[in-house]
Amino acid sequence: MAPGSAPAGFAGIYDVRGFGARGDGKTVDTPAINKAIAAAAEAGGGTVRIPAGTYLCFSIHLKSKVSLYLDHGATILAAENGEGGSYDAAEPNPWDKYQDFGHSHWHNALIWGEGLNDVAILGPGLIWGKGLTRGRGETGAGVGDKSISLKNCRNVTIRDVSFLHAGHFGILATGVDNLTVDNVMMDTNRDGMDFDGCRNVRVSNCTVNSPWDDGICPKSSYALGYARATENLTITNCFVTGSYQEGTVLDGTWKPFEPGVRVLRTGRIKCGTESNGGFKNITISNCVFEGCCGLALETVDGALLEDITVSNITMRDVVEMPIFLRLGSRLRGPKGIAVGRLRRVNISNLVVSNTDARYASIISGIPGHEIEDVRLSHITILRKGSGTKQDAAIELPEKENAYPEPNMFGATPSYGFFVRHVKGIEMSHIEIRCEKEDLRPAFALNDVEGATFICVKADRAQGVPAFAMKRVADLDVYLSRPVPDTHLERAEEKEL
């Protein structure tokens, strides 16, 4: 077949082998693949086919109206820097001081596109980021740290592909609108998918094993030079985990880490930490968490986080806490940023087992800036228990300006929920059980106004209160065990 030609009846299909690609895992095939993409773009669009084989590559340049299709048995293999070439340099960004290096640059990637429309990466093949770095200070010339990065694009589809050892990010999408990620499998060494300042995003049917960082992570940084919200986002029918040795999810062996191997097991779904633009109109539904840090909703850089619905979630072997809601004042961004707001969050139909004994779920604002209007319902949590009286006496620091992590405060003085600086919270049909006796209260409330508990059941050790409260106003408890129906107008310090 002549270079650039297509067989009769296959107009619009550009086979990279027709442009000189070898697919032998030794020859650098980037020039051939980029020629095929350019030819498709010049023709007004088309599909660039990557047939079975292993294609050693540096930076591949996506184009508008072009699909990259990886056949069964096709692998795009990220080359080692200097192995016959190098990755594109990280482009200048005057705003890079407001977020990590990896979030601030897009060209230093295995596959990248900027300012594009109508782009797709499809097919059952594999993207193997073998030669990519994890982005831990390795930012020199020619170094690549992302598998796919997209900036200011629209109408993008990533479907059916698999990722192995994907670098700092498997997918980094910044300022991308109308984005679909479907049936993607990631077995990776840092972040799985980050959606930064993106709108109209649909993530579905994905599996992400990311023991050393976040699995699916909406963000809203200042990398574009202005604050842009991530909004109109749905995440559904996904499995996130940090439990398995890298590569064993893809090959189907599902090997857990050996006992004694220290792994972060992050693997979660998290909004944040970068939160300059905010998060709006988001639903997370029908997802499974295993061996990871649970769900985190964070705004600490001055933005709104509002109108979030989380439903039909199962969690097992949660290494910290199931739920972490944090409004803080890190304020990483241009001068003059004010503290943001976290409000209107509904979490329902959650089943959790085997959570870390040290930590309760945390819902915490900061003094003068309350989290508002949180609703939690139909939640069952099975805890390990074993908290002590000394734990119950812990006074958690505020850490208003700190980087937000679920374990940032250390062990909590309650075993179910720790709620602080909150205005308007309702918990209904909540059941919390402990495998071992826990000498902490189930709920600790501090600076809370407008709290309602309906049909709440929680284990309580002899002589230990179910609720420990400080500076609480307008509290109601109904149809709950082991606490009688109660209404409090105000209490500086009280136990129930």
Side-chain angles (χ1 to χ4, degrees):
M1 186 170 62
S5 66
F10 290 87
I13 306 295
Y14 298 80
D15 191 314
V16 297
R17 289 185 182 266
F19 291 81
R22 300 289 296 275
D24 58 10
K26 299 177 182 179
T27 305
V28 175
D29 285 325
T30 319
I33 293 175
N34 282 332
K35 285 179 184 177
I37 293 172
E42 288 171 8
T47 296
V48 173
R49 180 189 172 209
I50 301 180
T54 299
Y55 300 82
L56 191 67
C57 290
F58 292 100
S59 295
I60 295 170
H61 304 151
L62 300 172
K63 301 287 185 182
S64 293
K65 299 184 180 179
V66 175
S67 296
L68 200 63
Y69 187 88
L70 285 72
D71 276 354
H72 274 295
T75 297
I76 295 177
L77 174 62
E80 301 283 349
N81 187 33
E83 189 179 6
S86 60
Y87 294 91
D88 293 346
E91 71 277 34
N93 185 348
W95 314 104
D96 62 2
K97 61 185 175 182
Y98 298 129
Q99 53 279 319
D100 294 344
F101 182 90
H103 294 91
S104 303
H105 308 278
W106 298 267
H107 295 184
N108 56 331
L110 176 60
I111 303 171
W112 68 266
E114 180 176 353
L116 306 180
N117 61 276
D118 304 295
V119 176
I121 300 172
L122 310 169
L126 174 67
I127 297 171
W128 182 7
K130 183 178 179 181
L132 302 175
T133 74
R134 297 182 69 244
R136 298 291 190 187
E138 301 163 303
T139 58
V143 173
D145 68 356
K146 291 170 275 284
S147 290
I148 297 175
S149 65
L150 301 161
K151 177 185 179 184
N152 290 334
C153 298
R154 57 187 173 87
N155 304 336
V156 176
T157 300
I158 302 173
R159 177 176 285 128
D160 299 334
V161 294
S162 296
F163 294 75
L164 174 64
H165 197 77
H168 192 169
F169 303 97
I171 300 170
L172 174 65
T174 308
V176 177
D177 295 345
N178 303 339
L179 170 61
T180 297
V181 180
D182 178 57
N183 196 36
V184 166
M185 183 171 285
M186 285 192 176
D187 209 340
T188 187
N189 55 327
R190 205 167 168 199
D191 272 26
M193 314 173 188
D194 281 34
F195 308 103
D196 188 351
C198 297
R199 295 182 298 205
N200 303 329
V201 180
R202 305 291 173 260
V203 183
S204 58
N205 309 310
C206 294
T207 296
V208 182
N209 179 46
S210 57
W212 294 277
D213 219 319
D214 299 314
I216 301 175
C217 194
K219 294 181 182 291
S220 58
S221 75
Y222 210 80
L224 295 174
Y226 66 100
R228 192 178 202 262
T230 286
E231 56 186 320
N232 303 335
L233 164 69
T234 64
I235 301 171
T236 190
N237 301 341
C238 292
F239 174 57
V240 291
T241 180
S243 286
Y244 300 99
Q245 297 178 36
E246 187 184 31
T248 67
V249 171
L250 286 180
D251 69 18
T253 58
W254 298 87
K255 294 180 181 177
F257 290 95
E258 297 293 333
V261 176
R262 186 178 182 276
V263 184
L264 295 176
R265 302 182 193 272
T266 312
R268 63 191 161 189
I269 296 177
K270 178 182 79 169
C271 289
T273 297
E274 287 74 17
S275 46
N276 300 93
F279 307 94
K280 305 174 184 178
N281 297 345
I282 293 175
T283 68
I284 302 169
S285 63
N286 303 337
C287 291
V288 175
F289 294 62
E290 183 184 45
C292 64
C293 290
L295 172 74
L297 305 177
E298 306 166 354
T299 178
V300 296
D301 296 322
L304 287 173
L305 190 157
E306 62 181 9
D307 301 327
I308 313 294
T309 297
V310 181
S311 62
N312 300 343
I313 306 293
T314 64
M315 298 187 188
R316 180 178 293 181
D317 303 332
V318 178
V319 298
E320 286 175 347
M321 61 192 65
I323 300 169
F324 180 65
L325 274 57
R326 175 62 170 171
L327 170 62
S329 58
R330 182 180 69 162
L331 303 181
R332 190 180 182 187
K335 291 183 179 179
I337 294 176
V339 176
R341 300 181 75 176
L342 196 165
R343 59 191 182 186
R344 299 196 297 273
V345 175
N346 287 356
I347 300 175
S348 63
N349 298 323
L350 190 70
V351 176
V352 184
S353 64
N354 195 29
T355 70
D356 193 303
R358 295 168 293 176
Y359 308 115
S361 289
I362 292 178
I363 303 171
S364 180
I366 58 176
H369 299 277
E370 296 85 8
I371 292 174
E372 305 167 76
D373 300 327
V374 176
R375 303 289 180 267
L376 300 101
S377 66
H378 296 90
I379 295 173
T380 300
I381 302 175
L382 178 61
R383 301 190 49 83
K384 294 179 181 178
S386 74
T388 66
K389 289 184 178 180
Q390 289 75 22
D391 294 332
I394 292 172
E395 294 284 345
L396 294 192
E398 292 286 353
K399 294 192 175 183
E400 299 176 37
N401 313 120
Y403 183 94
E405 279 289 3
N407 62 8
M408 64 188 293
F409 303 111
T412 58
S414 53
Y415 72 79
F417 286 86
F418 177 84
V419 182
R420 179 167 65 180
H421 309 307
V422 173
K423 185 176 183 180
I425 183 167
E426 180 183 291
M427 295 192 188
S428 66
H429 299 86
I430 310 290
E431 183 172 4
I432 311 171
R433 302 196 301 268
C434 297
E435 294 179 356
K436 297 180 181 179
E437 186 176 69
D438 201 302
L439 301 182
R440 296 171 295 178
F443 301 92
L445 281 62
N446 190 332
D447 185 27
V448 175
E449 180 181 351
T452 303
F453 296 83
I454 305 170
C455 291
V456 171
K457 299 177 183 178
D459 288 346
R460 183 171 72 173
Q462 184 69 30
V464 176
F467 289 80
M469 298 175 288
K470 296 180 180 180
R471 300 189 304 281
V472 172
D474 189 19
L475 175 136
D476 293 292
V477 180
Y478 299 122
L479 303 173
S480 299
R481 292 202 310 250
V483 176
D485 287 1
T486 302
H487 173 73
L488 289 177
E489 289 292 336
R490 181 171 299 275
E492 277 301 305
E493 189 162 355
K494 188 174 180 62
E495 294 179 345
L496 292 175

